[in-house]
Amino acid sequence: MCGILALIQASASSGSAAVELHEALYLLQHRGQDACGIATCASGGRIYQCKGNGMAAKVFHDGLRVADLPGFMGLAHLRYPTAGSSANAEAQPFYVNSPYGICFAHNGNLVNAQELKRYLDYEAHRHINTDSDSELMLNIFANELNETKKARVNEEDLFAALSGMYRRCIGGWACTAMLAGFGIMGFRDPYGIRPMVLGSRVSEIGDGLDYMLASESVALDQLGFTNIVDIRPGQAVIIQKGSRPIFRQVHPQLAYAPDIFEYVYFARPDTVMDGISVHRSRQNMGFKLADAILKILGPEAVKEIDVVIPIPETSNTSASIVAQRLEIPYCHAFVKNRYVFRTFIMPGQKARQKSVRRKLNAMRAEFEGRNVLLVDDSIVRGTTSREIVNMAREAGARRVIFASCAPPITYVIRILLPCGDLDLFIIREASPRELVAHNRDHDAIAAHIGADEVIYQSLADLKAACAELSPRPMQEFEVGLFCGKYVTPVDDGYFDHLEQIRGQAQTLKAVDQAREAAAHQPAEANQLQVAVKAAPIDPKDEATPMTCNGGYSNGHSNGQLTNGEARQTVKEDGDESPSVRDRMDISLHNFGDYAVP
């Protein structure tokens, strides 16, 4: 999950695109807190950018750096890493100077990344400097566009290059791009998995319309854009400076299956996505979950529940409907610390438990001596759910029932999940064995998290909750994480590939944060081990020392990939990229890489 934006203003003399994009970043900050960036283009075609690791306020110094981003059009990006590392070098937008100067912002995954790397290396002869899917896709597009051999291109050339890119790339994506001095464009995968909307407004300077593309409609609403439309699966739109949008179906629509987790968790409730209100969909989830609770527990057991309590904040809407439907009092009994927005990797179980309690506090008066029904959007690893149940018990709850608005998650989560029970601590995809529902029935899950009962929404009810609001009949969704049947064709090697390229990045991040903990606060023994040995934590919370060739003594590989070939088990000296904490972007000078004096 990432957030993407693109803006082109009617007047080339306005020069304030970065101001609007910066504002929009805060509206979509929930889509990614790992890194962000803005790239703008001013008159004359010169590109300016600022990007780096961290949230928008940090990267842009609370807006001070926006003044150094002139231009009437630009892109913005918020990253949650789905493939690649968390280095500054992989903050977006990406840029290539040839052909024509292209900036690129990408939300999605490519399932044939290794094949594309080989093609770019051996046939296109384009160097790939990161492990990011986004850089791959940008270079595929750039290579297709380069085939025109023209000094200047038009929209037909761009549409043709996009069609060529779609023929090579397989996966789910929504992308925005900017061609220096020409205009902006947006395009969406043939399955409609990743969201994208376009809106317009009357320009504040002179005649004409400003246009903005965004992952969610809330960004357009808040900035005064109207006439909001969804970009359709396989569709692209190009907006040249001073012109109206031109739409083209660059690839046949293969499905219309948005990721259902957008409605469960990712998107803001005030967003309308593919014609479906996120808020209304969560209300529907509440109605259907209430019916399931009544059916599973029975009327008499439901009457014994004293209060319905949401796990803030995504589940608030659904939980309120559950309470209304079951005629049970509703209470926000967990108070969220709004100033701890994100919890990072924390080696060791004690540190992880502390991080949950730093975010939430249980009000004893609402728990003591009561039978409580806790409602959350989903349960992934169960780590946070278990800690929340413990907090409810410690606050005096007599009986704890835990209900999930989503079905059991038993397959690989292909996109990174932020705070809440969704991947609260580890910034990587969860393999099946890490998921609490893997090889466990409901009773075993309840025992694992310490609840008296666990109740899940059925997949059929979840799909119906969203589909009933769709303007399209027979609406389908991407639901692979619940059933293993992904919309895009995915072979088993894809998930192995993701795990490989993340291994080294995760180790470096864990080591860096353990060292910070050791430097600034009393550190646990295993944190000191990680800091000193530069090693990851294994499932027993023990540090595993790194060997001289970059591997680990327990057999883990750092999984680094070379351009075009997967890393072999046996490595020769000097045959792999060195491990570093961070890298700067080499494609374009980025003043976000340096501290402001």
Side-chain angles (χ1 to χ4, degrees):
M1 176 188 70
C2 293
I4 57 173
L5 295 152
L7 171 67
I8 186 165
Q9 296 175 319
S11 174
S13 62
S14 65
S16 61
V19 175
E20 305 276 9
L21 291 168
H22 178 250
E23 180 72 19
L25 286 176
Y26 292 96
L27 297 168
L28 297 184
Q29 185 75 81
H30 60 284
R31 298 192 67 86
Q33 299 94 47
D34 196 72
C36 65
I38 294 175
T40 60
C41 183
S43 299
R46 177 161 291 184
I47 294 172
Y48 302 82
Q49 76 169 2
C50 175
K51 62 180 184 176
N53 284 350
M55 293 195 286
K58 174 187 174 184
V59 172
F60 294 97
H61 286 207
D62 294 320
L64 291 176
R65 289 179 164 175
V66 174
D68 296 313
L69 297 171
F72 66 97
M73 63 178 176
L75 307 182
H77 186 269
L78 295 149
R79 183 186 73 192
Y80 244 106
T82 56
S85 76
S86 296
N88 265 297
E90 297 192 11
Q92 297 187 43
F94 279 137
Y95 168 81
V96 290
N97 69 333
S98 177
Y100 314 115
I102 306 168
C103 288
F104 197 84
H106 169 263
N107 170 30
N109 296 80
L110 298 177
V111 300
N112 64 333
Q114 292 172 296
E115 175 188 333
L116 295 174
K117 279 191 176 185
R118 285 190 290 270
Y119 166 75
L120 289 168
D121 190 2
Y122 292 113
E123 297 184 45
H125 310 305
R126 298 184 73 93
H127 177 69
I128 301 301
N129 204 54
T130 72
D131 290 318
S132 172
D133 287 3
S134 309
E135 189 188 13
L136 284 176
M137 199 167 193
L138 168 57
N139 277 273
I140 293 290
F141 172 65
N143 189 64
E144 293 289 336
L145 191 58
N146 199 44
E147 294 299 313
T148 63
K149 308 298 182 185
K150 291 182 177 180
R152 295 290 183 269
V153 290
N154 57 36
E155 60 269 12
E156 292 301 323
D157 298 319
L158 293 170
F159 283 132
L162 286 171
S163 293
M165 184 198 73
Y166 273 65
R167 286 192 293 270
R168 293 192 180 276
C169 297
I170 302 172
W173 61 77
C175 304
T176 55
M178 178 173 66
L179 202 66
F182 182 89
I184 62 171
M185 56 187 138
F187 44 94
R188 195 175 178 191
D189 68 81
Y191 305 93
I193 298 171
R194 299 287 182 263
M196 179 183 285
V197 291
L198 169 69
S200 63
R201 71 179 182 193
V202 176
S203 173
E204 296 179 356
I205 304 175
D207 298 328
L209 298 174
D210 300 334
Y211 295 95
M212 178 176 268
L213 291 154
S215 296
E216 295 186 30
S217 63
V218 63
L220 306 184
D221 291 335
Q222 290 291 302
L223 293 174
F225 288 84
T226 57
N227 301 316
I228 298 172
V229 297
D230 292 287
I231 304 302
R232 298 194 304 270
Q235 187 182 59
V237 58
I238 294 174
I239 312 169
Q240 197 170 351
K241 58 181 181 180
S243 302
R244 289 184 175 272
I246 301 172
F247 296 88
R248 182 73 54 83
Q249 195 72 28
V250 294
H251 191 283
Q253 179 176 312
L254 301 179
Y256 205 140
D259 185 354
I260 205 163
F261 232 65
E262 291 282 358
Y263 303 97
V264 173
Y265 180 76
F266 291 153
R268 276 180 48 152
D270 45 351
T271 281
V272 177
M273 193 172 285
D274 291 305
I276 301 171
S277 163
V278 174
H279 176 70
R280 295 294 186 196
S281 71
R282 290 175 185 169
Q283 286 183 320
N284 276 3
M285 291 174 207
F287 284 123
K288 295 182 185 299
L289 181 60
D291 292 343
I293 292 169
L294 186 61
K295 181 179 179 180
I296 292 169
L297 296 182
E300 294 305 313
V302 168
K303 289 178 182 178
E304 295 178 0
I305 298 172
D306 296 305
V307 64
V308 174
I309 297 171
I311 310 303
E313 295 179 328
T314 317
S315 66
N316 289 357
T317 302
S318 299
S320 66
I321 295 297
V322 169
Q324 175 186 320
R325 186 83 153 190
L326 298 179
E327 299 181 341
I328 299 172
Y330 174 71
C331 178
H332 290 274
F334 283 108
V335 179
K336 183 175 181 179
N337 184 348
R338 299 180 185 276
Y339 301 98
V340 182
F341 187 70
R342 180 184 177 207
T343 304
F344 293 89
I345 298 171
M346 293 190 176
Q349 184 64 21
K350 290 182 180 178
R352 292 195 284 269
Q353 291 171 347
K354 288 178 184 177
S355 67
V356 178
R357 293 171 184 265
R358 189 180 297 119
K359 282 179 176 291
L360 297 176
N361 185 50
M363 291 192 289
R364 176 171 288 274
E366 300 300 332
F367 286 94
E368 196 161 23
R370 307 178 86 181
N371 297 328
V372 299
L373 172 60
L374 307 182
V375 179
D376 205 352
D377 46 67
S378 58
I379 307 172
V380 183
R381 286 184 173 85
T383 309
T384 302
S385 302
R386 183 168 58 244
E387 191 60 26
I388 286 170
V389 171
N390 286 341
M391 292 168 66
R393 300 277 193 201
E394 291 169 8
R398 186 169 62 239
R399 180 174 168 81
V400 179
I401 301 168
F402 205 104
S404 168
C405 295
I409 298 172
T410 53
Y411 289 84
V412 175
I413 302 173
R414 300 196 304 163
I415 31 190
L416 189 80
L417 306 174
C419 54
D421 192 64
L422 302 177
D423 212 3
L424 180 64
F425 310 111
I426 301 178
I427 307 175
R428 62 180 174 83
E429 294 182 354
S431 63
R433 66 180 178 275
E434 295 175 285
L435 302 171
V436 69
H438 182 64
N439 288 337
R440 287 190 180 99
D441 60 19
H442 288 194
D443 290 338
I445 295 169
H448 182 77
I449 68 172
D452 295 287
E453 187 98 33
V454 168
I455 299 171
Y456 283 98
Q457 184 98 267
S458 72
L459 181 55
D461 280 347
L462 176 60
K463 291 168 67 175
C466 300
E468 288 169 2
L469 300 168
S470 174
R472 294 166 297 280
M474 306 300 290
Q475 176 69 62
E476 290 297 324
F477 297 94
E478 166 60 88
V479 293
L481 75 166
F482 301 116
C483 62
K485 297 178 181 177
Y486 297 101
V487 172
T488 52
V490 182
D491 62 46
D492 293 338
Y494 169 67
F495 298 115
D496 294 336
H497 162 69
L498 288 185
E499 192 65 26
Q500 281 184 319
I501 65 177
R502 285 207 181 86
Q504 187 180 42
Q506 288 307 118
T507 298
L508 292 171
K509 180 169 281 191
V511 170
D512 193 33
Q513 293 176 355
R515 285 173 175 166
E516 184 175 351
H520 295 97
Q521 60 184 339
E524 298 175 11
N526 55 9
Q527 286 180 308
L528 292 173
Q529 282 184 296
V530 174
V532 172
K533 296 182 180 181
I537 290 293
D538 69 13
K540 296 180 180 179
D541 275 347
E542 296 176 355
T544 307
M546 181 181 287
T547 63
C548 59
N549 68 349
Y552 300 99
S553 59
N554 65 352
H556 293 305
S557 167
N558 67 8
Q560 184 72 17
L561 297 181
T562 56
N563 185 20
E565 293 186 61
R567 173 64 56 204
Q568 302 299 312
T569 303
V570 179
K571 304 176 182 68
E572 300 294 336
D573 290 341
D575 191 35
E576 61 183 279
S577 300
S579 300
V580 296
R581 291 176 55 197
D582 201 359
R583 305 189 310 281
M584 292 185 180
D585 185 4
I586 64 170
S587 65
L588 187 68
H589 174 72
N590 175 41
F591 63 82
D593 290 332
Y594 306 97
V596 172

